[in-house]
């Protein structure tokens, strides 16, 4: 036994706790929905990615159960050995068709999709130009490729222009711009129109991770590409079924067919990991069907209304909100222990939120990241605003 090793681990944990950065996991006694039961308390949940409220939708749950009954609990195999069923092919074709790409490929999670996508497509002669606030999984995926790495300031198009010119001047063969469609900690929607323009000017490709947009943003819920009017101008899309599209799990890459074909041959998290469970595929298919239709339109309209109502309520109270239109509404507290106390006060008042601090957001930029859902009623939103008022006054965050 290496005692100094275990001592260092314990020291790290004590340090995290002393800095007020310890993340505790609260246990939900029941499914993910607007009202959840936490520690015997019935609370309004403002911190799930359940944007359309489909995570416990009976149709989605039933589709998952039926898929499990028909296709079994799982494949006990990677896709290429004996792990592909009709339901996987159907979900890949449906995802591609919904989002306007030639084909798509499934992964166990969007984290895996992002981890998988760069290494097989780009080599040491190539360059990846990455937004500085990109999701951790994009950052890790980019690190796993041999391509040269460049970074531009978050959603800063002048900086992107500069970095693209630099990558070109330094001899890059292919340049790929990688960005989140929505930056999950801020709710900022990427300036994809300008990114597509710059990509064309510099002869670069584009990849968008649309996890916080697929199903909820833009016409048909087709995501930030539809929202920004750049459908058909983005080369590669990555996304998740773990948020608006059922909340179950699973990720995908959508692109032109040869790109998907090569990923099937070379992507390591695809070749060396189990096929997606049929129940997950069933839930995702049911959610896509709802999201792409008229009911999805109604849910998105409701989500937008809820977001406006909540933002207006908090702004009127004097809270410091990051501006934006996305249902992510970040309430800035800056100080990590204060954000944590605010979350505790709100929970006592029946509002479930989570404080975000380092390393999930930069030091000194702690916040309560709230998220709206299409399923919230006006009364629930007003109750949340009142609880923010009460807790905010108690902690002297507002007057
Ligand atoms: C949530 C998220 C992921 C990870 O998705 P999973 O399917 O849960 O692994 C990746 N990228 C972004 C931008 C996300 O918000």
């Amino acid at each position: 036994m290496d005692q100094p090793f275990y001592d260092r681990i314990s020291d790290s944990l004590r340090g995290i706790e002393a800095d007020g950065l310890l993340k505790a996991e609260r246990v939900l006694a029941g499914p993910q929905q607007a009202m959840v039961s936490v520690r015997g308390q019935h609370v309004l949940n403002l911190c799930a990615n359940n944007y359309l409220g489909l995570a416990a939708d009976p149709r989605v749950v039933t589709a998952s159960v039926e898929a499990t009954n028909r296709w079994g609990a799982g494949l006990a195999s990677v896709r290429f050995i004996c792990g592909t069923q009709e339901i996987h092919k159907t979900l890949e074709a449906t995802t591609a068709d919904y989002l306007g790409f030639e084909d798509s490929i499934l992964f166990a999670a969007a984290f895996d999709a992002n981890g998988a996508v760069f290494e097989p497509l780009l080599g040491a002669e190539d360059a990846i130009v990455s937004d500085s606030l990109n999701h951790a999984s994009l950052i890790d995926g980019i690190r796993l490729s041999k391509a040269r790495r460049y970074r531009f300031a978050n959603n800063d198009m002048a900086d992107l222009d500069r970095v693209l010119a630099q990558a070109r001047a330094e001899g890059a063969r292919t340049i790929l711009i990688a960005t989140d469609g929505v930056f999950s900690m801020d709710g900022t929607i990427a300036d994809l129109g300008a990114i597509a323009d710059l990509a064309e000017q510099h002869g670069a490709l584009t990849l968008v991770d649309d996890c916080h947009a697929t199903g909820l943003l833009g016409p048909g819920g087709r995501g930030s590409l539809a929202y920004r009017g750049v459908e058909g101008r983005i080369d590669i899309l990555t996304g998740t079924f773990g948020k608006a599209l059922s909340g179950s799990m699973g990720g995908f890459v959508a692109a032109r067919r040869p790109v998907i074909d090569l990923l099937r041959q070379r992507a390591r998290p695809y070749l060396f990991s189990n096929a997606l469970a049929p129940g997950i595929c069933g839930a995702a298919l049911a959610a896509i069907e709802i999201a792409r239709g008229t009911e999805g339109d109604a849910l998105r309209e409701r989500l937008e209304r809820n977001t406006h109502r909540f933002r207006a309520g908090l702004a009127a109270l004097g809270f410091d909100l990051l501006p934006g239109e996305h249902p992510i509404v970040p309430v800035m507290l800056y100080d990590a222990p204060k954000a944590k106390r605010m979350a505790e006060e709100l929970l006592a008042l029946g509002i479930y939120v989570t404080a975000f601090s380092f390393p999930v957001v930069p030091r000194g930029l702690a916040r309560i990241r709230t998220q709206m859902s299409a399923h919230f009623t006006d009364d629930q939103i007003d109750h949340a605003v009142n609880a923010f008022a009460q807790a905010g006054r108690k902690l002297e965050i507002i007057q």
Side-chain angles (χ1 to χ4, degrees):
M1 189 172 91
D2 182 353
Q3 192 55 44
F5 166 78
Y6 290 104
D7 291 345
R8 279 200 307 278
I9 301 289
S10 300
D11 283 350
S12 296
L13 282 168
R14 271 193 296 276
I16 291 168
E17 185 157 22
D19 291 344
L21 300 177
L22 196 70
K23 291 160 191 59
E25 295 178 2
R26 296 196 177 94
V27 177
L28 305 189
Q32 186 66 278
Q33 48 199 1
M35 298 298 293
V36 293
S37 183
V38 181
R39 289 192 208 141
Q41 203 189 338
H42 218 43
V43 296
L44 179 66
N45 187 358
L46 296 194
C47 49
N49 301 310
N50 191 16
Y51 294 113
L52 299 182
L54 297 179
D57 185 285
R59 294 162 296 175
V60 174
V61 174
T62 302
S64 178
V65 171
E66 282 175 356
T68 301
N69 283 333
R70 175 156 182 214
W71 300 103
L75 274 299
S77 169
V78 298
R79 289 283 298 274
F80 85 91
I81 300 178
C82 55
T84 300
Q85 295 166 322
E86 200 182 297
I87 197 166
H88 299 101
K89 302 310 282 179
T90 304
L91 180 55
E92 285 171 340
T94 304
T95 301
D97 178 60
Y98 174 36
L99 299 173
F101 285 83
E102 280 179 13
D103 203 358
S104 82
I105 174 174
L106 302 176
F107 290 88
F111 205 105
D112 280 346
N114 288 336
V117 68
F118 298 99
E119 190 261 341
L121 302 179
L122 299 166
E125 311 87 335
D126 303 315
I128 300 170
V129 176
S130 174
D131 187 288
S132 64
L133 285 192
N134 273 347
H135 191 266
S137 54
L138 282 178
I139 294 168
D140 287 5
I142 291 167
R143 278 192 194 136
L144 289 170
S145 83
K146 294 198 170 57
R148 277 174 268 167
R149 302 194 293 263
Y150 296 84
R151 226 161 67 129
F152 64 99
N154 176 233
N155 214 18
D156 180 334
M157 295 303 117
D159 201 39
L160 174 58
D161 191 20
R162 179 187 69 76
V163 174
L164 286 169
Q166 185 191 345
R168 201 46 94 198
E170 289 174 4
R173 179 180 63 178
T174 286
I175 302 176
L176 174 66
I177 305 168
T179 182
D180 284 11
V182 172
F183 296 93
S184 57
M185 289 302 133
D186 298 344
T188 314
I189 303 167
D191 190 355
L192 295 181
I195 289 175
D197 289 346
L198 285 171
E200 273 158 30
Q201 281 165 33
H202 291 270
L205 297 171
T206 46
L207 177 147
V208 175
D209 170 354
D210 228 11
C211 282
H212 279 282
T214 310
L216 65 135
L217 279 194
R222 293 190 306 276
S224 59
L225 281 60
Y227 182 90
R228 292 292 193 206
V230 297
E231 286 178 291
R233 297 181 67 200
I234 299 296
D235 294 283
I236 302 171
L237 186 79
T238 67
T240 186
F241 303 113
K243 290 178 175 134
L245 295 181
S246 83
S248 60
M249 64 184 300
F252 60 86
V253 176
R256 291 196 190 177
R257 186 153 290 118
V259 169
I260 301 303
D261 288 346
L262 184 63
L263 290 176
R264 282 192 209 285
Q265 302 304 313
R266 295 274 168 80
R268 293 164 67 83
Y270 187 80
L271 291 175
F272 298 97
S273 185
N274 203 17
L276 214 53
I280 290 168
C281 299
L285 281 165
I288 291 173
E289 194 178 317
I290 294 168
R292 73 192 303 184
T294 51
E295 184 180 348
D297 291 337
L299 290 171
R300 283 181 287 275
E301 202 179 298
R302 180 77 217 184
L303 179 60
E304 204 177 313
R305 265 185 41 207
N306 287 351
T307 302
H308 284 305
R309 188 179 186 93
F310 186 60
R311 268 193 173 274
L314 291 187
L317 288 168
F319 279 102
D320 182 0
L321 309 177
L322 292 183
E325 285 154 37
H326 193 274
I328 291 172
V329 182
V331 184
M332 300 305 293
L333 282 299
Y334 302 100
D335 177 63
K338 189 182 257 186
K340 201 161 164 241
R341 274 205 308 283
M342 181 75 176
E344 282 159 11
E345 290 291 336
L346 285 164
L347 187 63
L349 295 168
I351 304 298
Y352 184 18
V353 296
T354 301
F356 285 77
S357 53
F358 183 81
V360 181
V361 294
R363 281 189 202 276
L365 292 179
R367 68 199 64 182
I368 306 271
R369 182 188 69 172
T370 63
Q371 290 164 284
M372 286 292 109
S373 172
H375 268 196
F376 296 164
T377 63
D378 287 352
D379 280 353
Q380 286 174 326
I381 291 166
D382 295 347
H383 172 53
V385 170
N386 289 335
F388 265 87
Q390 209 177 317
R393 287 188 188 113
K394 180 168 173 187
L395 297 180
E396 297 180 342
I397 292 158
I398 55 163
Q399 298 202 321

